[in-house]
């Protein structure tokens, strides 16, 4: 079984984004995984960068704020991370972007002198919700752009292997209904294959 960090951050608890995140939590828990559910909105995370958390390029051992160090521990403890978010202005919402800025920081997720990134063996799923239909999202180049930022610019840059990092989308999110949960379930099946979730027989 895996330790999974499920991350989300939507201002409305009744949003489809929030519902999908809870579904991921409940399904993974039912399958026997240990789930840490991080709702950045509910926990009141401040996405604004502070001097205490601004990276010091000359000091990868910089001690960040207690809040950020606590979040770093939650990230480092995860075998897999699932981020469920609305695609706003063709990227992450400010709350999630600020979480990446402050927590996936120099000396922790990247820029370490010894030992490499603690994320090197972490599986990653980004699930973005967009009101665009797939054809329009692809034809306009946004799928390629957003995917490249999340997959290459963040995940792989922080040491995650390409073969266990994925970016998936719920298209037509305003009318997706049950189809959105099917997309999530398929993505979770890919992230944590059944054979890895089943306890070995004695």
């Amino acid at each position: 079984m895996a330790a999974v960090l499920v991350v989300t951050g939507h201002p409305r608890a009744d949003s489809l984004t929030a519902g999908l995140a809870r579904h991921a939590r409940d399904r993974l828990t039912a399958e026997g995984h240990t789930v840490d559910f991080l709702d950045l909105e509910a926990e009141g995370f401040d996405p604004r960068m502070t001097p205490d958390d601004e990276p010091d390029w000359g000091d990868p051992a910089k001690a960040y704020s207690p809040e950020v160090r606590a979040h770093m521990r939650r990230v480092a403890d995860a075998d897999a991370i699932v981020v469920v978010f609305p695609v706003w202005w063709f990227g992450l919402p400010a709350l999630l972007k600020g979480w990446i800025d402050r927590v996936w920081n120099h000396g922790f997720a990247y820029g370490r002198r010894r030992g490499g990134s603690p994320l090197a063996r972490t599986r990653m799923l980004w699930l973005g919700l967009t009101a665009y239909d797939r054809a329009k999202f692809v034809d306009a180049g946004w799928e390629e752009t957003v995917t490249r930022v999340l997959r290459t610019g963040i995940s792989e840059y922080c040491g995650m292997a390409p073969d266990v990092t994925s970016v998936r989308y719920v298209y037509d999110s305003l009318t997706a209904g049950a189809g959105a949960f099917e997309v999530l379930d398929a993505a979770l099946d890919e992230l944590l294959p059944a054979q890895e979730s089943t306890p070995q027989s004695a």
Side-chain angles (χ1 to χ4, degrees), residues 65-76:
S65 69
E67 178 187 27
V68 162
R69 292 201 304 272
H71 278 265
M72 286 175 171
R73 286 192 294 272
R74 295 171 77 172
V75 171

Side-chain angles (χ1 to χ4, degrees), residues 142-155:
W142 293 118
E143 182 171 290
E144 180 181 2
T145 299
V146 177
T147 298
R148 188 174 185 84
V149 169
L150 298 176
R151 185 183 178 93
T152 306
I154 299 178
S155 302

Side-chain angles (χ1 to χ4, degrees), residues 2-17:
V4 186
L5 177 63
V6 177
V7 186
T8 193
H10 195 287
R12 288 188 297 103
D14 63 349
S15 65
L16 179 58
T17 299

Side-chain angles (χ1 to χ4, degrees), residues 10-146:
H10 195 287
R12 288 188 297 103
D14 63 349
S15 65
L16 179 58
T17 299
L20 287 168
R22 290 191 296 268
H23 177 78
R25 176 198 62 194
D26 295 346
R27 172 188 154 166
L28 293 169
T29 299
E31 290 175 349
H33 300 290
T34 301
V35 179
D36 180 2
F37 188 69
L38 173 53
D39 183 335
L40 295 167
E41 181 74 28
E43 294 193 16
F45 181 81
D46 187 346
R48 297 172 297 179
M49 181 60 77
T50 67
D52 286 344
D53 296 322
E54 184 180 6
D56 181 346
W57 306 112
D59 181 14
K62 174 178 177 176
Y64 295 106
S65 69
E67 178 187 27
V68 162
R69 292 201 304 272
H71 278 265
M72 286 175 171
R73 286 192 294 272
R74 295 171 77 172
V75 171
D77 286 346
D79 300 310
I81 301 173
V82 178
V83 179
V84 184
F85 66 98
V87 178
W88 287 348
W89 288 106
F90 308 104
L92 293 171
L95 184 56
L96 273 161
K97 179 59 167 61
W99 182 70
I100 296 294
D101 289 345
R102 290 184 66 199
V103 177
W104 295 41
N105 214 328
H106 183 256
F108 169 64
Y110 67 94
R112 294 167 66 90
R113 290 182 179 174
R114 290 188 289 274
S117 170
L119 302 178
R121 297 185 179 180
T122 306
R123 293 175 175 269
M124 185 79 212
L125 168 63
W126 302 92
L127 184 76
L129 286 74
T130 175
Y132 279 67
D133 62 46
R134 186 176 188 278
K136 186 174 181 180
F137 199 61
V138 171
D139 290 347
W142 293 118
E143 182 171 290
E144 180 181 2
T145 299
V146 177

